[in-house]
Amino acid sequence: MANNTETAQVSLDPEPAHVISATVESQDSTGDDIARALHDALQGLPSHIVKDLVSIGVCCRCIFRLFGTRDNIYSCSSLSPSILSSVLREHEDSSRRPTAEELEVEVVLCTLCLGILQFTYCDDKEMVVKKSANDMAVVISELVKQEGYQIDSFSLEVSIPPLILENEHLFWLYMKSKYGSELWFQGRSLSQCISAKDALKFYLTQPLEALLDCKSGMSAFRIRLTYTHSKASKMVQSVAVSTQGTGNIADSIDDCVVGDIEYSGLADVTIERSFDGLRDNGSSQCFKFPLEKVNEACHLVLLCHRTPIYFGGRYMKYSRNVSQTRWIIDDERMGEASVEEIIGSNILPMCKGDNHKFHAAGREDIDVRMLGSGRPFLVEIQNARHIPSEALVKEIEIKINDLENKLVGVKNLKVVGNEGWTLIHEGEAEKQKQYAALVWISRPLEDEDLESISSLKDTKILQRTPIRVLHRRSPLEREKIIHWMKIERIGGSSQYFLLHLCTQAGTYIKEFVHGDLGRTHPSVGSILGCRAEIVQLDVTDVKMDCFQTE
């Protein structure tokens, strides 16, 4: 019960409840059915305590969960304190049955769960909504279907105000103080109670499984119910006030907004620790109980989303006027397009996602082509409604490669799991890259130059941060390795040649050629003993194992 937000299966293991159909009304119970179910559930519970809790505004479902009852009683769609009181009175008058008025669901909000387990809440229009568990399941399933999600499982997440946890602690201190000497209370602890969060998930999971026609469990598709309340948790608020100015509250309770709205799970830990001493000495005199009447329901925000899906592959960039990612400077676009936009804009519609992000194993400058086997990349699709089949992914690859402008191409595109991140990051530090550079030198190329260049193997160079990137990079000196080089003559030219080379990842190739005013040493210019300038550069291979062309 300590975590404020949880993604897990309900930790209850009840007997199978009635299986519902899409027409959820089939589960509604008659007055006699409800009375009989209540009578069975109440067996073994101290009736005077139940009456006490009813009198102080605790709802039926909270009474049963706080006693740790794991029974089909939770399946009853119409549970109200008046029905519970009526069943309790049957011990005095066995001929009495609940009246029609008593079968009406009461609108009084529970002092413990704030109406959450009565399925009462405020919607986004500030209207108070009252539903049954089945009705709420229908609302959730309709949202999933309206959004067009393609699912084969789901995970139900619930976030509740920490005020409810505080209420439960106060309740337990009250019970211990008033009934701690009674035999039935001996050996009991708050940890044996069923949390409001788990109880709510228990009520909703089975009807949702029937309506969505899939099972609940660990899933990439999440249904999230977030309840908030305008009344701040007094305990968390008092801790926040007492630590104001020390920085402790900011360090320990991330995302906590004192005065209301939302707390992280650490807020619950704060409440747990604050009550530890009181639980040990059994004192509750400093806390007000019974709790104040609840006049306002929790606000409910219902969201559905899928965790990101990833497409991995290798891209080629054939243009010297295309950036890797969208590049805007002072509201002016640099280049005619980007690899990110071309690939992402073709994948996103197929997945019906909200947006996409592009990740690659390194990058090349806008005026550098990416050729050969291509550069490994990942496209992250957020909140995808559809998961494309292998055949559809192949269609996307063909579509990108057949674009009229031929700016970008892709190879070996496929849907990958989170292991795609691992493959890219593990290979990034160790990868080697091959280049082809068109170089001009200030004197005619000689045969000795070819030998002096090709004879160098695993040459270590020192590179200070290039002048051209000093405005955005730290001024550091890095050691890099040039694994091999060779010169290819260009017919009809004595001062231009192609330089083929393989280097350690992260080497600044342009600066290695011209020396960057001595900031890179040695350089091609210093090795040949003349001025050298790079005219054009292509990446011809990125040596990494991930997303290799099949």
Short mmCIF file of all heavy atoms in Angstrom, two decimals, residues 358-407:
data_model
loop_
_atom_site.label_atom_id
_atom_site.label_comp_id
_atom_site.label_asym_id
_atom_site.label_seq_id
_atom_site.Cartn_x
_atom_site.Cartn_y
_atom_site.Cartn_z
N PHE A 358 14.13 10.52 -33.47
CA PHE A 358 15.16 9.86 -34.28
C PHE A 358 16.45 9.76 -33.48
O PHE A 358 16.89 10.72 -32.84
CB PHE A 358 15.39 10.69 -35.55
CG PHE A 358 16.31 10.03 -36.55
CD1 PHE A 358 15.82 9.09 -37.45
CD2 PHE A 358 17.65 10.35 -36.59
CE1 PHE A 358 16.67 8.49 -38.36
CE2 PHE A 358 18.50 9.75 -37.50
CZ PHE A 358 18.00 8.82 -38.39
N HIS A 359 17.05 8.58 -33.49
CA HIS A 359 18.32 8.34 -32.79
C HIS A 359 19.26 7.61 -33.77
O HIS A 359 18.83 6.71 -34.48
CB HIS A 359 18.11 7.46 -31.56
CG HIS A 359 16.95 7.88 -30.69
ND1 HIS A 359 17.05 8.86 -29.73
CD2 HIS A 359 15.67 7.45 -30.67
CE1 HIS A 359 15.87 9.01 -29.13
NE2 HIS A 359 15.02 8.17 -29.69
N ALA A 360 20.52 8.00 -33.78
CA ALA A 360 21.49 7.37 -34.69
C ALA A 360 22.82 7.14 -33.98
O ALA A 360 23.12 7.78 -32.97
CB ALA A 360 21.69 8.23 -35.93
N ALA A 361 23.59 6.21 -34.53
CA ALA A 361 24.93 5.92 -34.00
C ALA A 361 25.90 6.93 -34.60
O ALA A 361 26.57 6.67 -35.60
CB ALA A 361 25.34 4.50 -34.36
N GLY A 362 25.96 8.12 -33.99
CA GLY A 362 26.80 9.19 -34.50
C GLY A 362 26.08 10.00 -35.57
O GLY A 362 24.90 9.76 -35.87
N ARG A 363 26.78 10.97 -36.12
CA ARG A 363 26.19 11.80 -37.16
C ARG A 363 27.26 12.30 -38.12
O ARG A 363 28.44 12.35 -37.77
CB ARG A 363 25.45 12.99 -36.56
CG ARG A 363 26.33 14.00 -35.83
CD ARG A 363 25.57 15.26 -35.45
NE ARG A 363 24.42 15.00 -34.64
CZ ARG A 363 23.18 15.37 -34.95
NH1 ARG A 363 22.96 15.97 -36.10
NH2 ARG A 363 22.17 15.13 -34.15
N GLU A 364 26.83 12.67 -39.30
CA GLU A 364 27.72 13.28 -40.27
C GLU A 364 27.27 14.73 -40.50
O GLU A 364 26.11 15.07 -40.24
CB GLU A 364 27.72 12.51 -41.60
CG GLU A 364 26.39 12.51 -42.35
CD GLU A 364 25.37 11.55 -41.75
OE1 GLU A 364 25.78 10.53 -41.17
OE2 GLU A 364 24.16 11.83 -41.86
N ASP A 365 28.18 15.58 -40.95
CA ASP A 365 27.83 16.97 -41.25
C ASP A 365 26.83 17.01 -42.40
O ASP A 365 26.71 16.06 -43.19
CB ASP A 365 29.07 17.78 -41.61
CG ASP A 365 30.01 17.96 -40.43
OD1 ASP A 365 29.54 17.82 -39.28
OD2 ASP A 365 31.21 18.22 -40.65
N ILE A 366 26.15 18.13 -42.53
CA ILE A 366 25.12 18.26 -43.56
C ILE A 366 25.70 18.09 -44.97
O ILE A 366 25.03 17.58 -45.87
CB ILE A 366 24.40 19.64 -43.43
CG1 ILE A 366 23.18 19.69 -44.34
CG2 ILE A 366 25.36 20.79 -43.70
CD1 ILE A 366 22.32 20.93 -44.11
N ASP A 367 26.98 18.49 -45.16
CA ASP A 367 27.59 18.41 -46.50
C ASP A 367 28.34 17.10 -46.73
O ASP A 367 29.07 16.97 -47.71
CB ASP A 367 28.52 19.60 -46.73
CG ASP A 367 29.66 19.65 -45.72
OD1 ASP A 367 29.59 18.93 -44.69
OD2 ASP A 367 30.63 20.41 -45.94
N VAL A 368 28.17 16.15 -45.83
CA VAL A 368 28.83 14.84 -45.94
C VAL A 368 27.79 13.78 -46.27
O VAL A 368 26.75 13.70 -45.62
CB VAL A 368 29.56 14.48 -44.63
CG1 VAL A 368 30.15 13.08 -44.71
CG2 VAL A 368 30.62 15.51 -44.30
N ARG A 369 28.08 12.98 -47.30
CA ARG A 369 27.16 11.89 -47.66
C ARG A 369 27.43 10.66 -46.79
O ARG A 369 28.55 10.45 -46.34
CB ARG A 369 27.32 11.53 -49.14
CG ARG A 369 26.92 12.62 -50.09
CD ARG A 369 26.90 12.14 -51.53
NE ARG A 369 28.22 11.67 -51.98
CZ ARG A 369 28.46 11.15 -53.18
NH1 ARG A 369 27.46 11.03 -54.07
NH2 ARG A 369 29.67 10.75 -53.51
N MET A 370 26.39 9.89 -46.56
CA MET A 370 26.51 8.61 -45.84
C MET A 370 26.21 7.51 -46.84
O MET A 370 25.06 7.34 -47.27
CB MET A 370 25.51 8.58 -44.68
CG MET A 370 25.52 7.29 -43.86
SD MET A 370 27.03 7.01 -42.96
CE MET A 370 27.54 5.45 -43.67
N LEU A 371 27.25 6.75 -47.23
CA LEU A 371 27.11 5.75 -48.29
C LEU A 371 27.38 4.36 -47.74
O LEU A 371 27.31 4.12 -46.54
CB LEU A 371 28.06 6.09 -49.44
CG LEU A 371 27.95 7.51 -50.03
CD1 LEU A 371 29.02 7.74 -51.09
CD2 LEU A 371 26.56 7.76 -50.59
N GLY A 372 27.71 3.44 -48.62
CA GLY A 372 28.08 2.08 -48.23
C GLY A 372 26.96 1.35 -47.52
O GLY A 372 25.82 1.32 -47.98
N SER A 373 27.29 0.74 -46.38
CA SER A 373 26.32 -0.07 -45.65
C SER A 373 25.35 0.76 -44.82
O SER A 373 24.42 0.23 -44.22
CB SER A 373 27.06 -1.06 -44.73
OG SER A 373 27.86 -0.35 -43.79
N GLY A 374 25.58 2.08 -44.75
CA GLY A 374 24.66 2.95 -44.03
C GLY A 374 25.01 3.09 -42.56
O GLY A 374 25.88 2.41 -42.02
N ARG A 375 24.31 4.02 -41.91
CA ARG A 375 24.53 4.30 -40.48
C ARG A 375 23.37 3.72 -39.68
O ARG A 375 22.20 3.95 -40.01
CB ARG A 375 24.63 5.80 -40.24
CG ARG A 375 24.97 6.16 -38.79
CD ARG A 375 24.94 7.67 -38.57
NE ARG A 375 25.95 8.37 -39.35
CZ ARG A 375 27.21 8.52 -39.00
NH1 ARG A 375 27.65 7.99 -37.86
NH2 ARG A 375 28.06 9.19 -39.76
N PRO A 376 23.65 2.97 -38.59
CA PRO A 376 22.57 2.43 -37.76
C PRO A 376 21.73 3.55 -37.14
O PRO A 376 22.25 4.57 -36.71
CB PRO A 376 23.31 1.65 -36.67
CG PRO A 376 24.65 1.33 -37.26
CD PRO A 376 24.98 2.51 -38.12
N PHE A 377 20.41 3.32 -37.10
CA PHE A 377 19.51 4.31 -36.52
C PHE A 377 18.32 3.61 -35.85
O PHE A 377 18.02 2.44 -36.10
CB PHE A 377 18.99 5.28 -37.59
CG PHE A 377 17.99 4.66 -38.55
CD1 PHE A 377 16.62 4.71 -38.27
CD2 PHE A 377 18.41 4.03 -39.70
CE1 PHE A 377 15.71 4.13 -39.14
CE2 PHE A 377 17.50 3.46 -40.57
CZ PHE A 377 16.15 3.50 -40.29
N LEU A 378 17.66 4.35 -34.98
CA LEU A 378 16.40 3.94 -34.38
C LEU A 378 15.38 5.06 -34.56
O LEU A 378 15.71 6.23 -34.38
CB LEU A 378 16.56 3.69 -32.87
CG LEU A 378 17.25 2.42 -32.39
CD1 LEU A 378 17.37 2.46 -30.87
CD2 LEU A 378 16.48 1.18 -32.81
N VAL A 379 14.17 4.70 -34.92
CA VAL A 379 13.05 5.64 -34.90
C VAL A 379 12.11 5.20 -33.79
O VAL A 379 11.63 4.07 -33.76
CB VAL A 379 12.30 5.68 -36.25
CG1 VAL A 379 11.03 6.54 -36.12
CG2 VAL A 379 13.20 6.24 -37.33
N GLU A 380 11.88 6.09 -32.85
CA GLU A 380 11.01 5.83 -31.70
C GLU A 380 9.63 6.40 -31.98
O GLU A 380 9.47 7.60 -32.19
CB GLU A 380 11.61 6.49 -30.46
CG GLU A 380 10.76 6.41 -29.21
CD GLU A 380 11.37 7.17 -28.05
OE1 GLU A 380 12.59 7.42 -28.07
OE2 GLU A 380 10.62 7.53 -27.12
N ILE A 381 8.63 5.53 -32.01
CA ILE A 381 7.25 5.96 -32.23
C ILE A 381 6.53 5.98 -30.89
O ILE A 381 6.45 4.96 -30.20
CB ILE A 381 6.51 5.03 -33.21
CG1 ILE A 381 7.25 4.96 -34.54
CG2 ILE A 381 5.07 5.50 -33.41
CD1 ILE A 381 7.30 6.27 -35.31
N GLN A 382 6.03 7.13 -30.51
CA GLN A 382 5.38 7.28 -29.22
C GLN A 382 3.87 7.08 -29.34
O GLN A 382 3.22 7.63 -30.22
CB GLN A 382 5.69 8.65 -28.63
CG GLN A 382 7.19 8.84 -28.38
CD GLN A 382 7.51 10.18 -27.78
OE1 GLN A 382 6.84 11.17 -28.03
NE2 GLN A 382 8.57 10.24 -26.98
N ASN A 383 3.36 6.24 -28.45
CA ASN A 383 1.92 5.98 -28.35
C ASN A 383 1.34 5.46 -29.66
O ASN A 383 0.32 5.98 -30.17
CB ASN A 383 1.17 7.23 -27.88
CG ASN A 383 -0.23 6.90 -27.35
OD1 ASN A 383 -0.51 5.75 -26.97
ND2 ASN A 383 -1.09 7.88 -27.33
N ALA A 384 1.96 4.44 -30.21
CA ALA A 384 1.48 3.85 -31.47
C ALA A 384 0.16 3.13 -31.26
O ALA A 384 0.00 2.39 -30.28
CB ALA A 384 2.52 2.89 -32.02
N ARG A 385 -0.78 3.35 -32.15
CA ARG A 385 -2.06 2.61 -32.09
C ARG A 385 -1.95 1.26 -32.78
O ARG A 385 -2.62 0.32 -32.40
CB ARG A 385 -3.18 3.42 -32.75
CG ARG A 385 -3.90 4.41 -31.83
CD ARG A 385 -3.01 5.56 -31.45
NE ARG A 385 -3.73 6.62 -30.74
CZ ARG A 385 -3.16 7.70 -30.28
NH1 ARG A 385 -1.86 7.88 -30.42
NH2 ARG A 385 -3.87 8.62 -29.65
N HIS A 386 -1.11 1.19 -33.81
CA HIS A 386 -0.93 -0.06 -34.56
C HIS A 386 0.53 -0.50 -34.51
O HIS A 386 1.44 0.34 -34.51
CB HIS A 386 -1.34 0.14 -36.03
CG HIS A 386 -2.81 0.20 -36.23
ND1 HIS A 386 -3.39 0.33 -37.47
CD2 HIS A 386 -3.84 0.17 -35.36
CE1 HIS A 386 -4.71 0.36 -37.36
NE2 HIS A 386 -5.01 0.27 -36.08
N ILE A 387 0.75 -1.80 -34.49
CA ILE A 387 2.08 -2.38 -34.62
C ILE A 387 2.16 -2.99 -36.01
O ILE A 387 1.50 -4.00 -36.29
CB ILE A 387 2.33 -3.47 -33.56
CG1 ILE A 387 2.05 -2.93 -32.15
CG2 ILE A 387 3.77 -3.98 -33.67
CD1 ILE A 387 2.96 -1.82 -31.72
N PRO A 388 2.94 -2.40 -36.91
CA PRO A 388 2.96 -2.90 -38.30
C PRO A 388 3.49 -4.32 -38.40
O PRO A 388 4.39 -4.72 -37.65
CB PRO A 388 3.90 -1.92 -39.02
CG PRO A 388 3.96 -0.72 -38.14
CD PRO A 388 3.79 -1.23 -36.74
N SER A 389 2.94 -5.07 -39.32
CA SER A 389 3.43 -6.42 -39.59
C SER A 389 4.77 -6.34 -40.32
O SER A 389 5.17 -5.28 -40.82
CB SER A 389 2.43 -7.18 -40.45
OG SER A 389 2.30 -6.56 -41.73
N GLU A 390 5.44 -7.48 -40.41
CA GLU A 390 6.71 -7.52 -41.12
C GLU A 390 6.55 -7.12 -42.58
O GLU A 390 7.39 -6.42 -43.14
CB GLU A 390 7.30 -8.94 -41.02
CG GLU A 390 8.70 -9.07 -41.54
CD GLU A 390 9.28 -10.46 -41.31
OE1 GLU A 390 8.90 -11.10 -40.30
OE2 GLU A 390 10.11 -10.91 -42.13
N ALA A 391 5.44 -7.53 -43.17
CA ALA A 391 5.18 -7.18 -44.57
C ALA A 391 4.98 -5.68 -44.73
O ALA A 391 5.46 -5.07 -45.70
CB ALA A 391 3.96 -7.94 -45.07
N LEU A 392 4.27 -5.06 -43.78
CA LEU A 392 4.02 -3.62 -43.87
C LEU A 392 5.31 -2.84 -43.66
O LEU A 392 5.53 -1.80 -44.31
CB LEU A 392 2.97 -3.21 -42.83
CG LEU A 392 2.52 -1.74 -42.85
CD1 LEU A 392 2.03 -1.35 -44.24
CD2 LEU A 392 1.43 -1.50 -41.81
N VAL A 393 6.17 -3.32 -42.77
CA VAL A 393 7.46 -2.66 -42.56
C VAL A 393 8.28 -2.69 -43.85
O VAL A 393 8.95 -1.71 -44.20
CB VAL A 393 8.23 -3.34 -41.41
CG1 VAL A 393 9.65 -2.78 -41.30
CG2 VAL A 393 7.50 -3.14 -40.09
N LYS A 394 8.22 -3.81 -44.55
CA LYS A 394 8.94 -3.91 -45.83
C LYS A 394 8.39 -2.91 -46.84
O LYS A 394 9.14 -2.31 -47.61
CB LYS A 394 8.83 -5.34 -46.37
CG LYS A 394 9.72 -5.60 -47.58
CD LYS A 394 11.19 -5.44 -47.23
CE LYS A 394 12.09 -5.71 -48.43
NZ LYS A 394 13.52 -5.50 -48.10
N GLU A 395 7.08 -2.72 -46.81
CA GLU A 395 6.46 -1.73 -47.71
C GLU A 395 6.95 -0.33 -47.39
O GLU A 395 7.17 0.48 -48.31
CB GLU A 395 4.93 -1.79 -47.58
CG GLU A 395 4.28 -3.02 -48.20
CD GLU A 395 2.77 -2.98 -48.06
OE1 GLU A 395 2.21 -1.87 -47.87
OE2 GLU A 395 2.14 -4.04 -48.13
N ILE A 396 7.10 -0.03 -46.10
CA ILE A 396 7.60 1.29 -45.70
C ILE A 396 9.01 1.49 -46.23
O ILE A 396 9.36 2.56 -46.76
CB ILE A 396 7.58 1.44 -44.16
CG1 ILE A 396 6.15 1.35 -43.62
CG2 ILE A 396 8.22 2.76 -43.74
CD1 ILE A 396 6.07 1.30 -42.10
N GLU A 397 9.85 0.47 -46.11
CA GLU A 397 11.23 0.55 -46.60
C GLU A 397 11.26 0.81 -48.11
O GLU A 397 12.00 1.67 -48.60
CB GLU A 397 11.97 -0.74 -46.27
CG GLU A 397 13.41 -0.77 -46.75
CD GLU A 397 14.13 -2.05 -46.37
OE1 GLU A 397 13.93 -2.54 -45.23
OE2 GLU A 397 14.89 -2.56 -47.23
N ILE A 398 10.43 0.08 -48.82
CA ILE A 398 10.38 0.25 -50.28
C ILE A 398 9.90 1.66 -50.64
O ILE A 398 10.42 2.30 -51.55
CB ILE A 398 9.46 -0.82 -50.91
CG1 ILE A 398 10.09 -2.21 -50.75
CG2 ILE A 398 9.20 -0.52 -52.38
CD1 ILE A 398 9.17 -3.35 -51.15
N LYS A 399 8.91 2.14 -49.91
CA LYS A 399 8.36 3.47 -50.18
C LYS A 399 9.42 4.55 -50.00
O LYS A 399 9.55 5.47 -50.82
CB LYS A 399 7.17 3.74 -49.26
CG LYS A 399 6.52 5.10 -49.46
CD LYS A 399 5.37 5.31 -48.49
CE LYS A 399 4.76 6.70 -48.66
NZ LYS A 399 3.67 6.94 -47.67
N ILE A 400 10.21 4.45 -48.91
CA ILE A 400 11.26 5.44 -48.67
C ILE A 400 12.31 5.38 -49.78
O ILE A 400 12.76 6.42 -50.29
CB ILE A 400 11.92 5.20 -47.29
CG1 ILE A 400 10.91 5.46 -46.17
CG2 ILE A 400 13.15 6.10 -47.11
CD1 ILE A 400 11.41 5.06 -44.78
N ASN A 401 12.70 4.18 -50.16
CA ASN A 401 13.74 4.02 -51.18
C ASN A 401 13.26 4.42 -52.57
O ASN A 401 14.09 4.71 -53.44
CB ASN A 401 14.23 2.57 -51.20
CG ASN A 401 15.01 2.21 -49.94
OD1 ASN A 401 15.60 3.06 -49.30
ND2 ASN A 401 14.99 0.93 -49.58
N ASP A 402 11.95 4.47 -52.77
CA ASP A 402 11.41 4.83 -54.09
C ASP A 402 10.99 6.29 -54.19
O ASP A 402 10.38 6.70 -55.18
CB ASP A 402 10.21 3.94 -54.43
CG ASP A 402 10.62 2.51 -54.77
OD1 ASP A 402 11.82 2.29 -55.00
OD2 ASP A 402 9.74 1.63 -54.79
N LEU A 403 11.29 7.08 -53.14
CA LEU A 403 10.92 8.49 -53.18
C LEU A 403 11.60 9.17 -54.36
O LEU A 403 12.77 8.89 -54.68
CB LEU A 403 11.32 9.19 -51.88
CG LEU A 403 10.50 8.80 -50.63
CD1 LEU A 403 11.10 9.46 -49.38
CD2 LEU A 403 9.04 9.20 -50.79
N GLU A 404 10.90 10.08 -54.97
CA GLU A 404 11.36 10.68 -56.23
C GLU A 404 12.67 11.45 -56.07
O GLU A 404 13.53 11.43 -56.95
CB GLU A 404 10.27 11.60 -56.78
CG GLU A 404 10.55 12.15 -58.16
CD GLU A 404 9.39 12.96 -58.71
OE1 GLU A 404 8.30 12.93 -58.11
OE2 GLU A 404 9.59 13.63 -59.75
N ASN A 405 12.83 12.16 -54.93
CA ASN A 405 14.03 13.01 -54.79
C ASN A 405 15.30 12.23 -54.48
O ASN A 405 16.41 12.75 -54.59
CB ASN A 405 13.80 14.08 -53.72
CG ASN A 405 13.34 13.49 -52.39
OD1 ASN A 405 13.61 12.33 -52.07
ND2 ASN A 405 12.63 14.29 -51.60
N LYS A 406 15.17 10.97 -54.05
CA LYS A 406 16.33 10.11 -53.80
C LYS A 406 17.35 10.74 -52.84
O LYS A 406 18.56 10.59 -53.01
CB LYS A 406 17.04 9.76 -55.11
CG LYS A 406 16.18 9.04 -56.13
CD LYS A 406 15.83 7.64 -55.67
CE LYS A 406 15.05 6.89 -56.74
NZ LYS A 406 14.64 5.55 -56.29
N LEU A 407 16.85 11.44 -51.82
CA LEU A 407 17.75 12.06 -50.87
C LEU A 407 18.28 11.08 -49.84
O LEU A 407 19.42 11.18 -49.39
CB LEU A 407 17.05 13.21 -50.15
CG LEU A 407 16.54 14.36 -51.02
CD1 LEU A 407 15.78 15.37 -50.17
CD2 LEU A 407 17.69 15.03 -51.75
#
